[in-house]
Amino acid sequence: VVIRKKAPTAAAKKDEKVVNAARRAGAEIESVKKSNAGTNRAASSSTSLNTRKLDEETENLAHDRVPTELKKAVMHARVEKKLTQAQLAQLINEKPQIIQEYESGKAIPNQQIIGKLERALGAKLRGKK
């Protein structure tokens, strides 16, 4: 006598023996083929429209760098005030690396930092002199 029997799990329902038994009994069987079934590829590995556009893009983009006039003006004003790069950085509450990048021309211009430099050095670095 069976008092209670567990319902078959999802894995058991998909088992080949269960499917064959259902076919013999005449039950309806639905089979669905998955698009990437049996492959070792992720669904996102195919090239989409956006990736194709990016691949076809030929324009080289680069960040703006500090112009030579600005880097010379910063260096000249700092030397006139008899400050080192580290002292100037401390005055404007920035890292000494920032001053070094501005004077070497490698920095990406930031208007806030340029404003701090203008105030600390007492020189106009932007616009017409």
Side-chain angles (χ1 to χ4, degrees), residues 70-81 103 121:
L70 179 63
K71 69 181 189 179
K72 286 179 183 177
V74 169
M75 202 179 310
H76 183 71
R78 179 181 59 82
V79 170
E80 276 186 0
K81 286 260 187 176
E103 289 187 1
L121 296 172

Side-chain angles (χ1 to χ4, degrees), residues 60-64:
N60 291 331
L61 301 174
H63 290 292
D64 290 334

Side-chain angles (χ1 to χ4, degrees), residues 47-59:
T47 57
S48 66
L49 185 62
N50 288 338
T51 55
R52 192 173 300 128
K53 279 183 183 177
L54 288 173
D55 287 342
E56 292 170 356
E57 186 66 44
T58 57
E59 185 179 349

Side-chain angles (χ1 to χ4, degrees), residues 9 13 25 37 41 46 52 58-59 62 75 77 92 96 99 101 107 109 120 124 127 129:
T9 61
K13 288 179 186 176
R41 264 189 290 178
S46 64
R52 192 173 300 128
T58 57
E59 185 179 349
M75 202 179 310
I92 66 168
I99 305 300
E101 288 175 355
K124 187 166 181 167
K129 294 187 178 190

